[in-house]
Amino acid sequence: MIRTLLLTAAVLAMAAPAAAQAPAAKSPAAPAAPSAGDWRTPNPDDLLVIDTNKGRIIVEMLPEVAPAHVQRVKELARAGFYDGRTFFRVIDEFMAQTGDPEDRGTGGSDKPDLTQEFLFRLGADAGFVQAADQNVAQVGFIKSLPVKSQSPMLMAMTADGKISAWPLYCPGVAAMARGQGEDSANSQFFLMRHTYPSLERRYTGWGRVVAGLDVVRAIKVGEPVAPPQDKMDKVRILADIPASERPKVRVIDPNSAWFKAEIESVRARMGENFSVCEIKVPSEVK
């Protein structure tokens, strides 16, 4: 239907008499390269370093969004639970799932299942950077994570001065897998390969890939994946890696002038089709 409407509009435009047109407004130019002050150094205790047979993936975890789930991932990573686990379910335009000791989607750790954290409370001091005001809602970023929330106008009306917010399922977002029950997440997680909005407020998002999205997208596809499956050789917290081996990671600060200019550039380019998932969050790993 959309394609038909677009074609019809094009035909009508060709048939209409020529008319003088006003000069098109110039779109903001893409921002220049970031300066030193545009970067931030994430907390090394909140960076998950996943070494796979396809390459390295680094995920920034956000305990302010899903504290219990981040704590579980850290505990399991530090216990070596994720080492050797395969990516057993990988869907091309969707996500890559792992974290099952049985490597087939039916297992979990010996720890109790987690209570869902689909939503979190967003306050004025949360470091949220707005990318678009949608009147009844807003979209933007907390650190590297794309987020949507209720209108900030509601903060003045709530008992805690905060509003409900939730992650957006853009490429690279990390979330916990679960069973039929909302409170059934345990150890399995998935990394988004592409945008998938229908997961919003149905799964707990706890972080985002800040380096290695190309690796996530290179993982062997299958449902289930046929042997041999790609795997996580070793999963560590950056803070636990010996200093001599530890990569240096920096990520663009969403509060920086560069990032705000990037938001405006993407909004101007996309117009009414604007999506926060199209805004890149650059990183550097050395």
Side-chain angles (χ1 to χ4, degrees):
M1 178 64 71
I2 292 175
R3 180 173 295 177
T4 301
L5 288 173
L6 288 174
L7 288 172
T8 302
V11 170
L12 288 173
M14 290 173 64
Q21 295 184 355
K26 288 185 178 180
S27 298
S35 65
D38 292 318
W39 298 92
R40 64 184 177 88
T41 301
N43 182 348
D45 199 53
D46 289 336
L47 288 178
L48 189 70
V49 181
I50 305 173
D51 287 313
T52 80
N53 62 299
K54 287 290 181 68
R56 174 169 283 179
I57 301 165
I58 300 178
V59 180
E60 181 174 28
M61 300 177 282
L62 281 85
E64 57 266 66
V65 169
H69 286 70
V70 168
Q71 183 61 31
R72 172 63 55 84
V73 171
K74 288 181 179 182
E75 288 174 356
L76 294 178
R78 284 178 163 138
F81 179 89
Y82 289 128
D83 296 351
R85 298 282 57 82
T86 71
F87 291 94
F88 57 86
R89 180 172 179 251
V90 183
I91 303 174
D92 187 22
E93 298 286 319
F94 188 17
M95 57 86 217
Q97 186 172 341
T98 185
D100 176 11
E102 299 176 2
D103 292 329
R104 59 183 181 182
T106 55
S109 73
D110 59 2
K111 299 181 182 296
D113 289 346
L114 293 159
T115 301
Q116 59 89 1
E117 294 177 303
F118 301 163
L119 305 177
F120 65 97
R121 300 296 288 170
L122 178 71
D125 59 349
F128 177 86
V129 174
Q130 188 184 89
D133 184 355
Q134 300 175 327
N135 295 323
V136 297
Q138 63 176 349
V139 294
F141 291 84
I142 296 179
K143 297 178 179 174
S144 58
L145 187 69
V147 167
K148 187 171 185 177
S149 80
Q150 296 174 304
S151 169
M153 300 288 289
L154 296 176
M155 286 182 182
M157 305 177 192
T158 61
D160 61 357
K162 299 180 180 180
I163 50 178
S164 292
W166 54 95
L168 297 175
Y169 281 81
C170 300
V173 167
M176 224 65 170
R178 63 174 177 83
Q180 292 294 322
E182 291 188 345
D183 300 329
S184 59
N186 187 285
S187 67
Q188 296 182 40
F189 64 88
F190 56 91
L191 305 174
M192 299 302 298
R193 289 162 67 104
H194 291 278
T195 302
Y196 217 84
S198 64
L199 301 185
E200 292 172 23
R201 294 180 286 183
R202 295 177 55 213
Y203 291 84
T204 298
W206 49 266
R208 192 180 192 186
V209 172
V210 293
L213 183 59
D214 58 329
V215 177
V216 176
R217 287 176 169 160
I219 294 168
K220 185 179 178 182
V221 173
E223 193 181 4
V225 179
Q229 298 174 343
D230 291 326
K231 65 179 181 177
M232 301 187 292
D233 295 318
K234 197 168 189 63
V235 180
R236 296 172 288 177
I237 309 301
L238 183 66
D240 299 342
I241 297 176
S244 59
E245 303 174 26
R246 189 181 303 172
K248 294 181 174 62
V249 182
R250 66 177 187 171
V251 183
I252 280 293
D253 186 345
N255 279 297
S256 69
W258 185 92
F259 192 72
K260 290 175 181 176
E262 176 69 5
I263 290 173
E264 291 308 312
S265 177
V266 174
R267 287 181 61 180
R269 173 169 54 84
M270 298 193 70
E272 62 182 16
N273 296 317
F274 171 77
S275 167
V276 73
C277 290
E278 294 296 318
I279 300 172
K280 303 298 187 288
V281 183
S283 66
E284 284 186 355
V285 180
K286 296 181 180 179

